[in-house]
Amino acid sequence: MEQVNEESLAAARKVVAVHINYPSRAAQRGRTPEQPSYFLKPPTSLAFGSAEAPSVVERPASCELLGYEGEIALIIGKPARRVGLADAWRHVEWVTASNDLGVYDLRYADKGSNLRSKGGDGFTPIGPGLIPADAVDPAGLRIRTWHNGDLVQDDTTAELLFPFARLIADLSQLLTLEAGDIILTGTPAGASVAKPGDVVEVEVSTVEASGSASLSTGRLVTRVEEGSTAFADFGARPKTDDLQREEAYGSRAAAGLAPVEGAAVAGTAVGHVLTAALKAKLESVCTATLSSQLRKRGLNNVSIDGLSSTRPEKRVVGLARTLRYVPNREDLFKTHGGGFNAQKRAIDSVNEGEILVMEARGEKGTGTIGDILALRAQVRGAAAIITDGGVRDFSAVGAMDMPTYYSNPHPAVLGRRHIPWDTDVTIACGGTTVQPGDIIVADSDGILVIPPALAEELADDSIIQEREETFIAEMVAQGHSVDGLYPLNAQWRTKYEAWEAGTAND
């Protein structure tokens, strides 16, 4: 098998990289693109690495987050310009392994071009072996990545969002792909951060039937070293925050970050008040019962009214996170509506088991959530989204496993009627007040807002009430009148207690 060498590296005039192409990565990122999108890496970022002669990459001085991404690289063999899907693969000569390295500390610096964050010298190691493209099925390749010997990425090209031929045909519509050009085809879930002293290995192989020998590139090996040359003060300097750490490592837990206050802790609690035991109690009773118990305590205005659910069969319990929209005013939308605004911040910070509740003032003339942001909330583990406004991309949102409670579908974008203003404040939604940290319980009967201080006794009394109602229903089914039975008088209560004792002993 031929090997990557200095000559093959020198032949590359362009290195084109795809942003998102694997469904696993799209789920991790919380967005599935409709079309492929790309960025360029300079040829000076290319490096060769093998087990015998690993490439060495510097984590730049003062940088914290050197991310690695195992990828399949395609090397163009003959120029491609305006080629069709049927002919596109014929323009690829070789398939090899690559590692799309980059520093998250500089993502902010180039407005999405990735030039400094992804373009450093040695940031695109490829090799070591070259698999002939005409010897493989492009939908039958496997990509694996090891970090310090641990397998961290393992996926195939069977279900890519954008098959390789589509990438080549798409790019060739506007630019000529020349012999030697390299296309990095995206990374699956599992990419993370490498530190000085770490070793990252990437291998591409064919997926063969059991017992068949597979073609392989061998392992592309890259060793990370600490850079020693400081950045000058006349350019962008490295900087990072917890959001970048979470993105680089793939999750807050993987980054070693504490859960957001009130967020779920797997296996223990869904917050300081909503423990796993309390959550289970609330999930065992219906909102009709909880509502009657709230009414006994003088709380009548604790239901979010007038909304429909995309998943009415589901019972949902979680802690409220809040987002407030204010009426659109064009000058204020310019300052608050774009970029990483309050809506996106709310979506990107909702945690496992939490419910994002939106105040949209009952405005039905525009959307307040669409498919991409709803998917991001679902990927982050949100229990539900509740909005008293409209929902865009309704078919896609409605198909998600996570329930969304909404006023109506509407095709218009947010800015038609709303400005995303602030998060985690007291809001009004569907006719009631919701505070961050309130407990939300929703089922097919409706949505309730439960003050956390009352939740434990409310759940216990609701369980008792539903046991009584189970007994009452059995008696009614046997032909008894509801007079004195519903509610229980003294005589029937004695019978209920005997029934309860008997069922407890069964």
Side-chain angles (χ1 to χ4, degrees):
M1 179 178 294
E2 295 199 33
Q3 302 286 303
V4 172
N5 53 39
E6 295 296 331
E7 183 179 339
S8 57
L9 294 184
R13 300 180 64 179
K14 294 186 290 296
V15 181
V16 183
V18 178
H19 280 109
I20 292 178
N21 199 13
Y22 286 79
S24 62
R25 183 67 162 178
Q28 186 181 47
R29 287 299 198 203
R31 60 188 180 91
T32 301
E34 293 184 5
Q35 301 292 341
S37 62
Y38 314 93
F39 60 93
L40 287 169
K41 300 189 76 170
T44 49
S45 71
L46 290 168
F48 169 80
S50 67
E52 297 77 20
S55 70
V56 177
V57 65
E58 283 191 359
R59 186 182 73 176
S62 302
C63 287
E64 174 189 342
L65 303 173
L66 176 66
Y68 61 82
E69 299 176 2
E71 304 202 15
I72 296 171
L74 311 179
I75 300 177
I76 298 298
K78 60 180 181 180
R81 176 71 166 122
R82 293 177 178 155
V83 300
L85 291 172
D87 295 326
W89 185 246
R90 299 174 189 171
H91 292 262
V92 180
E93 185 172 11
W94 305 108
V95 174
T96 192
S98 63
N99 191 343
D100 183 15
L101 295 158
V103 282
Y104 281 72
D105 312 62
L106 291 171
R107 285 177 87 191
Y108 79 95
D110 291 308
K111 305 295 185 183
S113 77
N114 290 335
L115 179 59
R116 280 172 284 191
S117 65
K118 292 273 195 175
D121 288 356
F123 276 22
T124 316
I126 67 169
L130 295 168
I131 300 175
D134 60 6
V136 303
D137 174 3
L141 295 171
R142 183 184 188 187
I143 175 77
R144 287 180 291 176
T145 304
W146 293 263
H147 183 193
N148 293 333
D150 294 329
L151 182 64
V152 292
Q153 292 184 290
D154 189 354
D155 212 332
T156 74
T157 57
E159 297 182 356
L160 291 177
L161 299 175
F162 312 112
F164 294 159
R166 179 172 172 181
L167 300 178
I168 296 158
D170 182 35
L171 287 165
S172 75
Q173 293 184 93
L174 290 172
L175 55 93
T176 299
L177 296 173
E178 301 167 296
D181 284 353
I182 296 170
I183 301 174
L184 308 184
T185 57
T187 194
S192 188
V193 172
K195 299 178 181 179
D198 288 358
V199 174
V200 180
E201 303 168 87
V202 184
E203 180 182 9
V204 174
S205 59
T206 55
V207 178
E208 305 288 354
S210 178
S212 300
S214 64
L215 299 174
S216 170
T217 62
R219 293 197 186 186
L220 168 67
V221 183
T222 302
R223 189 177 71 251
V224 181
E225 293 186 352
E226 182 69 87
S228 58
T229 303
F231 282 84
D233 58 7
F234 49 74
R237 304 288 291 273
K239 63 180 181 180
T240 191
D241 53 29
D242 284 354
L243 176 60
Q244 292 303 321
R245 294 183 182 96
E246 181 181 348
E247 292 258 321
Y249 283 93
S251 69
R252 291 185 67 84
L257 301 172
V260 174
E261 183 75 11
V265 180
T268 56
V270 189
H272 299 298
V273 175
L274 187 55
T275 63
L278 174 56
K279 183 172 183 285
K281 289 180 183 179
L282 291 170
E283 287 173 336
S284 73
V285 295
C286 62
T287 56
T289 305
L290 290 167
S291 180
S292 67
Q293 289 294 329
L294 285 163
R295 189 169 186 271
K296 288 180 180 179
R297 291 161 173 81
L299 292 171
N300 292 304
N301 298 308
V302 287
S303 61
I304 297 176
D305 297 335
L307 305 185
S308 301
S309 173
T310 58
R311 300 298 302 273
E313 78 282 3
K314 285 201 166 189
R315 183 171 297 172
V316 177
V317 178
L319 288 179
R321 298 286 298 278
T322 61
L323 168 64
R324 183 167 71 101
Y325 296 114
V326 298
N328 187 30
R329 207 178 86 185
E330 287 76 6
D331 60 323
L332 294 177
F333 192 87
K334 289 179 181 178
T335 58
H336 289 76
F340 197 53
N341 58 33
Q343 180 199 40
K344 293 177 181 177
R345 292 197 304 273
I347 292 291
D348 228 41
S349 65
V350 68
N351 290 284
E352 187 84 20
E354 294 177 340
I355 296 174
L356 182 57
V357 186
M358 301 179 181
E359 176 186 337
R361 311 177 311 282
E363 170 58 62
K364 297 184 176 182
T366 192
T368 58
I369 189 74
D371 60 344
I372 290 176
L373 293 184
L375 177 61
R376 176 62 172 161
Q378 177 174 278
V379 168
R380 289 190 59 84
I385 291 174
I386 298 173
T387 175
D388 61 355
V391 170
R392 298 182 70 229
D393 310 307
F394 183 75
S395 294
V397 174
M400 293 181 188
D401 189 56
M402 177 193 69
T404 294
Y405 298 82
Y406 62 98
S407 179
N408 59 285
H410 200 283
V413 296
L414 184 73
R416 182 168 185 251
R417 299 285 173 85
H418 298 302
I419 305 172
W421 198 254
D422 48 13
T423 63
D424 290 325
V425 295
T426 299
I427 64 168
C429 181
T432 196
T433 299
V434 182
Q435 293 190 297
D438 281 342
I439 296 174
I440 306 294
V441 181
D443 61 16
S444 56
D445 278 347
I447 309 166
L448 292 177
V449 181
I450 298 175
L454 295 178
E456 193 75 50
E457 67 174 72
L458 197 75
D460 289 340
D461 288 351
S462 294
I463 290 170
I464 292 171
Q465 178 180 328
E466 291 202 347
R467 287 293 292 166
E468 292 179 356
E469 290 178 353
T470 298
F471 168 75
I472 293 168
E474 286 190 15
M475 297 302 103
V476 170
Q478 293 175 16
H480 295 282
S481 169
V482 294
D483 185 24
L485 175 61
Y486 185 52
L488 295 170
N489 61 19
Q491 180 182 0
W492 273 113
R493 181 161 295 281
T494 300
K495 293 180 180 179
Y496 162 71
E497 291 170 355
W499 174 86
E500 178 70 4
T503 56
N505 293 327
D506 289 345

